[in-house]
Amino acid sequence: MKKILEVLKQEVTDAFVQAGYDEKYGMVTLSNRPDLCQYQCNGAMAAAKEYKKAPIMIANDVVAILEKSETFKKIEAVNPGFINIVLSDNFISGYVSDMRKAGDFGYEKTKNPYTIVVDYGGPNVAKPLHVGHLRAAVIGESVKRIGKFVGYNMIGDIHLGDWGLQMGLIITELKKRQPDLPYFDESFTGEYPEEAPFTISELEEIYPYASAYSKKHPDYLEEARNATFRLQKGERGYAALWKHICNVSIADLKKNYDRLNVHFELWKGESDAESYIPGLVEHLKEGGYAHYSDGALVVDVKEPTDTKEIPPCMILKSDGSALYNTTDLGTIIERVKLYNPGAMKYVIDKRQDLYFQQVFRCARKAKLVGDDVELTFLGFGTMNGKDGKPFKTRDGGVMRLEYMINDVTQSVYEKIMANREIPEEEARDTAEKVAVAAIKYGDLSNQPSKDYIFDLDRFTAFEGNTGPYILYTIVRIKSILNKYKELHSDVRPEELELLPASSDSETGLMLELTKFSDMIDVAFKENAPNKLCQFVYDLANAFNRFYHENKIIAEEDEKKQASWIALISYTLDMLNQCIELLAIEAPDRM
C-alpha cells in the first residue's frame, strides 16, 4: 500500500494543480514543529518566485481546496506561506486499519529483487572473538535482515581469516609439541584421525605463543613460512591439520555468534579465494590492467578527479606472494560466479576505507564486476571505554566478547533478582536476552560510522533509549494482552475493529505506526540500523504515554476497550518485527 506521505503528497499536489500551480510544489514532510501540526507543505514558499505572488496567497489558494477534504482535521495557511496539516482521526485509524489488512505492516516489497552479499564478521580462526568483533557482527546482521524484509535475497558471509602465515605458525608449533602426530609423517598413507589433536582452549594458546616466539627466532619464522607454503601447495597432512583448526574454531565461533543471535549463510574464508588467484593474476596481466613496480605487481587506481593520493592496488609482492588485496579480489570473482549479486556490502572498521577504495576501483577497472553491481563500504567507528579510548580490560588487554556478554548478563541478572522473585532458570534466561539486547541496541542505536562510548550502567538501564527499555515495553504489552485474554478467551485481537482515536496519546500512537514503511526504506537505503532503533524508541514512547493515560483493562466501554486492544496488539506485532530486524529477542516477562 502507499506510504502515508505518498497519500498526502498526492492529495496536496492535486490541490496545487487544481489551483493553477505546478505539481512539483506539492511536497509534504513531517512537521518540524509537532506542537503546531503533524505534517507541513512549504511549496508555496518555493512557488512564489515563479508565479510572482506572495507565498501566503498561494498557500491560501491551496488550503481553500484542501479544507473540503475529509483527510484533514485542520489545515491552514500560516505566514509567510506555510501549510500546516493535522489529519482527521477517521483518516488515521482508517490508514492503520488498512496497514493491518495489507500484511507486512503495509510495506510494499521491492518489485526488482536481486541478490546482495553482506560481508561481515571477519574473525581469524584459532583466535577468540573480542569486543572489536562486535560492531561488524551486529551491524552486518541487521543490515542483512532489513534487506531481506525489503525483499532482496540476502547472503551473509563471515569471510574468515583462515589462510596465510598464522596457519603455518600453528602447524609449526604443533609439530614442535607433538612431533609424533601422523600429520607430520610424510610416509603416512592411512586415514587421519577424525578428532582434532587439540581443544579450542589449547588452540587459542598456541597461536599467540607461536606468533610471539617467531618474532624473536628467525629460524622458527622461516619454518612457519615454509609450513604455510606446503599447506597452500596442498600437502596432505598439513591440509588435514588445517581442516581440524578450522572446524574447532568455527564450532567455537558459532557458539559465540549464536549468543548474539548472529547467523551467517556462508562460512567461507580467504582460503576459498585461493583457487581464483592464478586466473586473476593472468587476467590482470593479459588485460593490461597490472604492471610491475619495484618487482611487485600493481594496478594503478588513482583517478584524475582525486584530491588526495590513492596508492596503487598491490596484487603480488616482489617475492610473488599474494596479499589481502589479492584475496579480496579473488573473493569478488567467486561471489560473481556463484551468486551473481547485484550488490556487495562490506561491514568493516572505517579505518579500512582507503584499502577498500583501492580494491573496489581495481575490481571495476579490471571489469571483475559489472557496471551495475553496487560495491559499498560500510565503515563503522570504534567502541570505546569511558576514557574515550578503545574498550579494554582492567589490565589493558582486549576483552573477549564472551566475557563482556557474561559481565553484562550478570549485571542484568542482579537487577532482575533485586526487583522481583522469579525462578532461577527463567531469571538467567531473561538476563541473557536483556543483556544481549542492551549490548546490541547500545551499539546499533548509534550512527554506524561514529565512535561511541560503551557505558554499562546506561546500556542496562530500564529507562531511556536502551535495549532493556524496549524489551520492558514489549513485556508490558504482552502482560496487558494476557490479562485481556483471561477475560475474553474467545476473542482474537487481530480481528477486533480499530476505532478513531479518542485522545491525543492514542492519535500519537497511531501516527507512529504509520511511519513504519518510510522508516524501513530509509534504514535500507542508508544501511542505517540506527534509524530503525530511533523508530522503535519513538514507538515505545508513544505506547507508554498512551498506557499511562488510559486504564485499558479497567475501561468499561467494551467497544473502546476492544479498539485499544487491537491497537496495542498491532503495536506489539510491529515492535516484535522491528527487534527481529535488529536480531534482538524479547522475554515473556521481566
Side-chain angles (χ1 to χ4, degrees):
M1 62 184 284
K2 281 188 174 182
K3 301 181 184 70
I4 193 166
L5 277 171
E6 292 174 343
V7 174
L8 298 178
K9 178 192 171 187
Q10 187 61 57
E11 189 157 356
V12 173
T13 295
D14 289 347
F16 266 90
V17 172
Q18 191 177 334
Y21 304 108
D22 193 288
E23 62 179 16
K24 67 185 177 186
Y25 297 116
M27 292 300 297
V28 177
T29 61
L30 276 170
S31 172
N32 56 19
R33 287 290 306 275
D35 55 319
L36 298 177
C37 58
Q38 297 161 350
Y39 295 89
Q40 64 189 58
C41 171
N42 301 337
M45 305 288 288
K49 185 175 181 181
E50 179 180 345
Y51 293 97
K52 297 180 174 57
K53 201 171 182 180
I56 192 65
M57 295 176 67
I58 297 173
N60 279 324
D61 291 342
V62 175
V63 167
I65 296 168
L66 290 173
E67 60 189 2
K68 301 168 189 172
S69 170
E70 294 182 357
T71 301
F72 310 108
K73 177 190 286 187
K74 180 181 179 184
I75 187 159
E76 58 182 346
V78 179
N79 277 319
F82 302 114
I83 298 175
N84 289 353
I85 300 169
V86 177
L87 303 178
S88 72
D89 294 323
N90 280 329
F91 174 80
I92 297 171
S93 62
Y95 187 87
V96 175
S97 295
D98 289 343
M99 288 174 66
R100 293 173 72 204
K101 294 172 189 171
D104 289 322
F105 306 95
Y107 185 78
E108 284 191 10
K109 306 278 189 180
T110 179
K111 293 180 174 60
N112 300 297
Y114 50 77
T115 296
I116 299 175
V117 176
V118 185
D119 184 316
Y120 66 108
N124 291 317
V125 301
K127 286 183 177 181
L129 291 176
H130 56 74
V131 293
H133 291 110
L134 176 68
R135 301 214 72 189
V138 301
I139 295 170
E141 182 72 15
S142 186
V143 165
K144 182 186 73 178
R145 290 181 181 221
I146 292 168
K148 186 176 181 180
F149 183 83
V150 171
Y152 291 91
N153 174 37
M154 305 298 290
I155 299 176
D157 185 1
I158 191 171
H159 196 68
L160 292 164
D162 64 348
W163 209 235
L165 182 60
Q166 72 192 77
M167 296 296 113
L169 286 165
I170 294 168
I171 291 170
T172 299
E173 185 58 26
L174 276 170
K175 187 175 182 179
K176 181 180 169 185
R177 297 184 184 191
Q178 303 183 62
D180 295 331
L181 288 174
Y183 310 97
F184 306 119
D185 182 357
E186 294 182 22
S187 65
F188 182 79
T189 57
E191 292 294 322
Y192 291 111
E194 291 186 11
E195 190 82 14
F198 43 73
T199 64
I200 185 63
S201 297
E202 291 168 337
L203 192 59
E204 289 174 355
E205 180 272 326
I206 287 171
Y207 173 68
Y209 173 84
S211 179
Y213 191 83
S214 71
K215 290 179 172 65
K216 297 179 181 178
H217 300 82
D219 291 347
Y220 185 91
L221 178 60
E222 187 56 36
E223 188 179 348
R225 284 177 174 153
N226 183 51
T228 304
F229 176 78
R230 291 167 67 180
L231 167 65
Q232 294 180 352
K233 289 299 180 184
E235 186 162 319
R236 182 169 171 263
Y238 286 14
L241 263 182
W242 171 76
K243 285 182 180 177
H244 283 316
I245 294 168
C246 290
N247 290 339
V248 169
S249 294
I250 288 172
D252 186 67
L253 287 170
K254 284 183 176 178
K255 180 184 69 177
N256 283 286
Y257 278 121
D258 281 349
R259 289 186 75 184
L260 288 172
N261 202 16
V262 170
H263 310 287
F264 300 92
E265 284 68 34
L266 299 177
W267 284 79
K268 287 183 171 288
E270 293 167 354
S271 59
D272 290 284
E274 184 70 13
S275 62
Y276 294 91
I277 289 176
L280 165 67
V281 172
E282 185 178 350
H283 170 74
L284 294 175
K285 288 179 178 178
E286 289 186 353
Y289 304 113
H291 64 91
Y292 284 97
S293 174
D294 295 328
L297 186 67
V298 302
V299 175
D300 290 326
V301 293
K302 183 172 172 58
E303 297 174 356
T305 54
D306 288 333
T307 57
K308 62 180 180 180
E309 185 62 31
I310 305 292
C313 182
M314 189 180 296
I315 307 301
L316 297 176
K317 292 194 287 188
S318 57
D319 63 2
S321 58
L323 301 94
Y324 285 122
N325 310 48
T326 330
T327 301
D328 277 317
L329 290 167
T331 300
I332 287 174
I333 294 171
E334 180 190 41
R335 288 171 179 164
V336 169
K337 179 182 178 182
L338 299 182
Y339 311 109
N340 189 31
M344 291 179 240
K345 302 184 179 187
Y346 292 73
V347 185
I348 312 285
D349 189 309
K350 67 181 180 182
R351 289 170 289 191
Q352 298 294 317
D353 183 29
L354 176 59
Y355 169 81
F356 276 97
Q357 281 189 56
Q358 294 171 293
V359 171
F360 291 170
R361 287 185 181 191
C362 184
R364 292 208 181 280
K365 183 174 183 177
K367 297 180 170 50
L368 303 183
V369 295
D371 292 339
D372 58 341
V373 177
E374 177 188 347
L375 298 174
T376 306
F377 173 68
L378 306 181
F380 55 79
T382 307
M383 182 180 80
N384 296 325
K386 290 184 179 181
D387 59 359
K389 298 177 181 177
F391 194 86
K392 300 282 186 182
T393 59
R394 285 194 180 93
D395 61 6
V398 178
M399 179 177 279
R400 289 177 66 145
L401 189 53
E402 65 178 300
Y403 295 166
M404 186 181 76
I405 297 173
N406 292 342
D407 288 349
V408 179
T409 301
Q410 183 62 29
S411 175
V412 173
Y413 171 77
E414 290 169 4
K415 287 186 179 183
I416 291 173
M417 297 307 289
N419 291 325
R420 64 186 301 173
E421 289 281 331
I422 63 175
E424 173 74 12
E425 185 177 348
E426 182 184 353
R428 292 290 181 188
D429 180 66
T430 298
E432 174 96 358
K433 287 179 179 175
V434 175
V436 169
I439 294 167
K440 296 180 75 171
Y441 190 90
D443 187 301
L444 292 168
S445 58
N446 294 279
Q447 187 176 331
S449 62
K450 302 292 187 185
D451 298 347
Y452 76 93
I453 302 294
F454 182 85
D455 186 334
L456 178 60
D457 293 333
R458 182 167 68 85
F459 285 6
T460 58
F462 283 71
E463 296 177 352
N465 190 10
T466 69
Y469 171 72
I470 303 302
L471 296 192
Y472 190 74
T473 300
I474 289 172
V475 168
R476 173 176 275 167
I477 301 174
K478 286 181 180 179
S479 176
I480 298 169
L481 292 176
N482 286 336
K483 289 176 183 175
Y484 184 81
K485 190 174 182 180
E486 289 174 6
L487 300 171
H488 306 274
S489 57
D490 57 334
V491 175
R492 299 179 63 185
E494 63 270 21
E495 295 175 354
L496 296 174
E497 181 185 2
L498 186 66
L499 301 176
S502 57
S503 67
D504 287 345
S505 62
E506 189 175 359
T507 298
L509 179 53
M510 289 189 190
L511 280 173
E512 289 302 327
L513 293 169
T514 67
K515 298 173 185 175
F516 178 82
S517 291
D518 282 300
M519 175 277 298
I520 289 291
D521 271 350
V522 172
F524 173 72
K525 289 172 184 173
E526 297 182 7
N527 300 301
N530 58 303
K531 303 286 187 181
L532 177 54
C533 290
Q534 186 60 51
F535 173 81
V536 169
Y537 180 56
D538 291 342
L539 182 57
N541 279 342
F543 164 77
N544 283 312
R545 182 186 168 208
F546 170 73
Y547 166 79
H548 287 300
E549 291 184 10
N550 298 280
K551 304 298 182 185
I552 300 171
I553 296 301
E555 175 58 45
E556 295 180 355
D557 185 327
E558 291 186 0
K559 283 191 174 182
K560 180 184 283 189
Q561 184 188 52
S563 177
W564 286 352
I565 293 297
L567 177 60
I568 67 168
S569 175
Y570 194 56
T571 301
L572 175 63
D573 290 343
M574 190 175 286
L575 285 170
N576 277 328
Q577 176 63 76
C578 288
I579 66 167
E580 196 275 331
L581 296 180
L582 297 171
I584 290 171
E585 296 181 60
D588 289 325
R589 62 176 182 164
M590 287 168 68

